[in-house]
């Protein structure tokens, strides 16, 4: 059939490819992670496979759409304005820099924090093709914004990003100090945020401090409940962590966490 169009969704190379009729109605989609073509209208099966041929990997399967899981149904019922999945790293800071009226010094600090969140967010986004799910800029009413929430085989990780500014960073039980700047209460904040996430998701959540571009990171020996990572150490650490969640658990937690209403 002529006129079928292939439209991508999601992040480049990872989302689905939808096959639509000229009037916009979908007749099939190709899930690149599952390597499966789901055909909604069987009479267009051959035309769908023909138009998708340049994109298909070897060993792909073809059939009707799979039965939706509870996580799928929750996602389909989620109003777009309540969906946090499209948020970019540093979403709140982008808005503040664009529309805020902060002075030059404050804007410089915001830009440093934005670059740090974008750097760490890029590292986390790269994990998504390996059974990981990540959310950015989750609003925690009354407590600010959680920079990143990572869900994968080793569990759930609540991440606060700190710009190291090419200086020495010291992480203690209650405070974090970068260079000669005033100490920051990041360790206490991430503990509280992880506890809040654990209640919201009814699952264990590990607090993480991600220190970006520090010349050196020193962690007090008494800090045992918080993981302190840097962009170049995050992926190796996560890859070696023991598996505690299966794929359906990951998808169910991701479907829950992406709903803004869960965090109120």
């Amino acid at each position: 059939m002529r006129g079928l169009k292939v439209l991508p969704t999601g992040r480049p190379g990872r989302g689905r490819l939808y096959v639509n009729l000229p009037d916009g109605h979908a007749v099939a989609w190709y899930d690149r992670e599952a390597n499966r073509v789901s055909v909604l209208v069987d009479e267009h099966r051959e035309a769908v496979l023909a138009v998708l041929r340049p994109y298909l990997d070897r060993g792909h399967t073809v059939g009707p759409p799979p039965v939706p899981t509870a996580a799928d149904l929750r996602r389909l019922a989620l109003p777009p304005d309540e969906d946090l999945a499209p948020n970019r790293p540093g979403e709140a800071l982008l808005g503040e820099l664009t529309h805020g009226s902060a002075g030059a010094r404050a804007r410089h600090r915001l830009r440093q924090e934005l670059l740090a969140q974008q750097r760490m967010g890029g590292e986390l986004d790269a994990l998504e093709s390996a059974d990981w799910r990540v959310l950015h800029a989750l609003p925690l009413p009354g407590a600010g914004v959680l920079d990143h929430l990572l869900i994968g085989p080793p569990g759930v990780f609540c991440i606060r990003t700190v710009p190291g500014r090419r200086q020495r960073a010291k992480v203690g039980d209650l405070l974090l100090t970068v260079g000669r700047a005033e100490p920051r209460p990041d360790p206490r904040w991430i503990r509280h945020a992880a506890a809040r996430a654990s209640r919201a998701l009814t699952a264990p959540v590990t607090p993480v401090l991600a220190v970006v571009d520090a010349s050196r990171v020193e962690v007090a020996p008494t800090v045992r409940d918080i993981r302190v990572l840097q962009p170049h150490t995050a992926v190796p650490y996560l890859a070696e962590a023991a598996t505690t969640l299966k794929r359906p658990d990951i998808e169910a937690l991701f479907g829950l966490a992406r709903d803004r209403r869960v965090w109120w």
Side-chain angles (χ1 to χ4, degrees):
M1 177 181 179
R2 294 183 179 180
L4 291 180
K5 296 181 180 179
V6 179
L7 300 175
T9 64
R11 292 191 175 96
R14 298 176 193 158
R16 290 176 172 178
L17 293 175
Y18 279 88
V19 181
N20 291 2
L21 294 171
D23 62 5
H25 286 86
V27 293
W29 72 78
Y30 173 46
D31 188 326
R32 284 182 272 203
E33 289 188 1
N35 199 19
R36 176 183 173 84
V37 179
S38 295
V39 181
L40 295 169
V41 184
D42 197 60
E43 66 183 86
H44 297 313
R45 181 188 181 105
E46 295 304 320
V48 163
L49 293 177
V51 75
L52 282 175
R53 188 169 293 119
Y55 308 98
L56 297 177
D57 291 333
R58 287 186 177 182
H60 66 271
T61 58
V62 183
V67 176
T69 64
D72 292 331
L73 294 175
R74 184 182 183 93
R75 175 181 56 80
L76 292 170
L78 183 61
D81 290 345
E82 305 295 347
D83 189 0
L84 298 173
N87 283 4
R88 299 162 293 176
E91 187 85 25
L93 296 176
L94 284 167
E96 197 169 346
L97 281 167
T98 303
H99 304 292
S101 57
R105 180 174 296 182
R107 291 182 66 83
H108 177 68
R109 176 183 57 80
L110 290 172
R111 279 192 290 268
Q112 286 184 323
E113 293 184 0
L114 175 60
L115 289 173
Q117 291 188 30
Q118 290 175 333
R119 167 87 183 280
M120 193 64 200
E123 295 286 337
L124 300 176
D125 284 342
L127 284 168
E128 278 209 323
S129 59
D131 289 342
W132 291 82
R133 295 290 179 264
V134 60
L135 293 165
H136 306 289
L138 278 69
L140 303 179
V145 177
L146 174 61
D147 298 336
H148 319 283
L149 186 80
L150 182 67
I151 307 170
V156 185
F157 299 86
C158 188
I159 304 172
R160 185 171 180 86
T161 303
V162 180
R165 305 196 301 272
R166 299 185 180 181
Q167 300 181 58
R168 182 175 62 174
K170 296 182 179 180
V171 182
D173 281 308
L174 302 177
L175 299 172
L176 180 149
T177 305
V178 177
R180 297 183 180 179
E182 288 293 318
R184 304 163 41 130
D186 297 279
R188 286 180 291 180
W189 192 94
I190 196 61
R191 281 193 187 96
H192 293 314
R196 184 167 178 170
S198 182
R199 291 192 298 270
L201 303 176
T202 62
V205 177
T206 300
V208 177
L209 287 175
V211 185
V212 178
D213 290 333
S215 61
R216 186 169 63 183
V217 179
E218 298 177 0
V219 183
T222 53
V223 179
R224 298 175 181 175
D225 58 329
I226 299 175
R227 298 290 178 266
V228 180
L229 303 175
Q230 296 176 269
H232 67 279
T233 64
V235 173
Y237 164 76
L238 294 166
E240 295 173 2
T243 297
T244 62
L245 295 177
K246 296 181 180 180
R247 180 66 178 271
D249 303 319
I250 294 168
E251 294 299 336
L253 286 168
F254 177 66
L256 183 63
R258 68 191 293 177
D259 188 340
R260 184 188 303 271
R261 297 165 296 186
V262 167
W263 302 99
W264 285 83

